Amino acid sequence: MGTAAMILLIALTLLFAAGLSLRYLGWAAAATLPAACLMIVLVPYRYQRVQAFFSTTGDPKGHGFQLFQSLIAVGSGGLTGVGLMESRQKLFYLPEAHTDFIFAVLSEELGFIGAVAVVALFAVYGWRGLRAAWKAPDAFGRLLALGITTLVVGQALINLSVVLGVVPTKGIPLPFISYGGSSLLVMLLATGVLLNISQHAE
């Protein structure tokens, strides 16, 4: 469902940028809300993730275990971190530490400074992508650049929000950083297209 939410975010962004009225987008969102609620309630593991999101401290050894361990990892880093490759949470405690929750490990090893540096890099990517979209030579290039930027930065924002407990857990990797060849390949290809659009920008 995390991938579906990401696709929906990209679609809504492009439709709005193409000139579709917010009224229609609002009606579409309202129409899909009941279906989304049913998809969460009727699938046990999704419902458990939502429960864990609202009661992390209440069940640290059950449904809230992963998020609880993620927050411990983030908090353990302090200002400068425990040192590169010195994370303790990734060894025994934090599930999926090398994929969806890699940012928690980075925060533990590199601290607040390293975490801010990662966020800053995605912010620069977003700024450059929006700049390429703004100066694209045609409407297709503009929408394509905006879609790619939304794909990368939106996925990063969702992943960071999951790690920090802002939204319920989803299976979305952190672009360019999480383990996985297919994700990295797609992100590199998309960035190459974005660089081509930027090269031909006015």
Side-chain angles (χ1 to χ4, degrees):
M1 194 169 179
T3 303
M6 191 67 243
I7 294 172
L8 181 62
L9 174 64
I10 296 170
L12 291 176
T13 302
L14 292 180
L15 288 171
F16 176 72
L20 188 65
S21 173
L22 277 175
R23 181 178 60 182
Y24 297 113
L25 295 177
W27 280 112
T32 57
L33 187 59
C37 291
L38 283 176
M39 289 174 65
I40 293 172
V41 174
L42 296 179
V43 180
Y45 77 90
R46 290 178 184 160
Y47 186 62
Q48 289 172 1
R49 286 180 176 181
V50 174
Q51 283 184 317
F53 172 70
F54 287 109
S55 61
T56 305
T57 55
D59 191 17
K61 294 184 179 180
H63 301 320
F65 179 80
Q66 189 173 25
L67 180 56
F68 192 74
Q69 296 300 322
S70 172
L71 296 176
I72 290 176
V74 173
S76 299
L79 182 63
T80 57
V82 298
L84 197 61
M85 305 301 292
E86 296 295 327
S87 170
R88 290 179 290 275
Q89 289 299 111
K90 70 180 180 182
L91 298 178
F92 306 106
Y93 307 104
L94 180 61
E96 305 300 331
H98 61 300
T99 56
D100 299 346
F101 284 79
I102 188 67
F103 183 74
V105 177
L106 285 173
S107 299
E108 184 182 7
E109 294 184 351
L110 304 178
F112 178 76
I113 296 175
V116 169
V118 171
V119 174
L121 288 173
F122 283 111
V124 170
Y125 189 104
W127 171 68
R128 291 292 299 173
L130 291 177
R131 186 172 180 271
W134 181 263
K135 296 190 174 184
D138 52 37
F140 176 75
R142 183 161 51 252
L143 292 175
L144 181 59
L146 180 61
I148 292 172
T149 304
T150 305
L151 168 68
V152 176
V153 178
Q155 189 169 318
L157 286 176
I158 292 176
N159 180 275
L160 298 181
S161 299
V162 167
V163 169
L164 298 175
V166 179
V167 298
T169 304
K170 303 186 185 310
I172 291 188
L174 186 62
F176 304 110
I177 299 177
S178 290
Y179 177 84
S182 58
S183 174
L184 180 61
L185 178 63
V186 170
M187 291 299 162
L188 289 175
L189 290 173
T191 302
V193 174
L194 185 60
L195 286 172
N196 183 269
I197 296 172
S198 178
Q199 186 178 12
H200 292 87
E202 296 176 353

